[in-house]
Amino acid sequence: MKPTDSHEDCRPVGEILHQIGGKWTVLIITRLGDGPKRFGELKRMVGGISQKVLTSTLRDLEMDGFVTRTVTPSIPPRVDYELTDLGRDLLVPLSAIGEWAIANRPRVLAARRQYLEDHPEAMPKRAAHVALMKQAAE
Amino acid sequence: MKPTDSHEDCRPVGEILHQIGGKWTVLIITRLGDGPKRFGELKRMVGGISQKVLTSTLRDLEMDGFVTRTVTPSIPPRVDYELTDLGRDLLVPLSAIGEWAIANRPRVLAARRQYLEDHPEAMPKRAAHVALMKQAAE
DNA sequence: CAGAATCCAACTGGATACTG
DNA sequence: CAGTATCCAGTTGGATTCTG
């Protein structure tokens, strides 16, 4: 599995990455890294995610075999999510990305500021930029 | 920079991850991993990407300081893209993800098949699923 | 509590045509 | 060759309301 070769298997890999690369996936998987969590617990921990999106993201993760969903039919109901072996496996490279993001956010923000200085006309054509720029302004 | 703590900096990290998690970002960065590439070269190597999307993704990466864009005003014009130090830095955790995806694609596909067996009514509510299922059927 | 169901605005990304 | 400029369909994701 050499890293710099393999021109053919780009697309299939892209599909998996796209799935993993969802805005919240990394956050959810890493939150589950230290044990099972209930739905509401996860929602609070991640923060800023709507239930609809959390629900469907968790469904995706369940579908891909990264998490298990355990329903306890009590009143009120209780649902726990937990990483599978595959999920814990994925957690390794994923948390590496997460830590990279935390560690290098300042560098990225600085690069964005620099870019805007050099290209004053650049202005946000993509939404993600706006969000990051707001952070850069802090 | 502990992995399992830090409830606060989830969102900011999410923004960076979202950026990185774009469908093509990982593919492009890893393709650039073994040296500078021209626009058309990249387009062929990645495969299946439109020039519009390739262009805007490259702009994003440039904006974030991951790649440099070098224009040689000849006829025909020539533009080279190359990883910056920050980009090469990012390449490390990113290619880990890429390799994970290649190595574990079968497991993910198997999980999807299993899921569909267990939940016959599940059927594609999200597009990404359709793509993966088509692959699963191969 | 955990979600399902709607409604709807915003963003993504593909196809096509044109330019220096 | 390497874009830029449109147009446009499909998806994502937020807010809100309702249910077992």
Side-chain angles (χ1 to χ4, degrees), chain A residues 5-32:
Chain A
D5 62 80
S6 62
H7 293 16
E8 349 291 306
D9 33 23
C10 266
R11 244 78 49 71
V13 173
E15 300 299 343
I16 305 248
L17 293 173
H18 189 225
Q19 171 70 12
I20 293 171
K23 189 174 178 180
W24 306 103
T25 309
V26 177
L27 261 21
I28 294 173
I29 298 262
T30 53
R31 276 336 90 170
L32 286 174

Side-chain angles (χ1 to χ4, degrees), chain B residues 23-24 48 50-53 77:
Chain B
K23 188 173 177 179
W24 304 104
S50 66
Q51 83 281 59
K52 177 190 167 183
V53 172

Side-chain angles (χ1 to χ4, degrees), chain A residues 24 27 30-31 41-49 98 101-102 105 135 138, chain B residues 1-15 17:
Chain A
W24 306 103
L27 261 21
T30 53
R31 276 336 90 170
E41 216 174 346
L42 263 178
K43 187 171 185 317
R44 273 190 307 280
M45 292 180 79
V46 172
I49 190 172
I102 295 175
R105 196 165 79 100
Q135 295 178 14
E138 283 169 12
Chain B
M1 219 54 80
K2 289 158 247 165
T4 52
D5 63 79
S6 62
H7 293 15
E8 350 291 305
D9 35 22
C10 266
R11 245 78 48 68
V13 172
E15 299 300 342
L17 294 173

Side-chain angles (χ1 to χ4, degrees), chain B residues 6 10 30 37 74 85 122:
Chain B
S6 62
C10 266
T30 52
K37 299 273 175 295
S74 53
D85 287 341

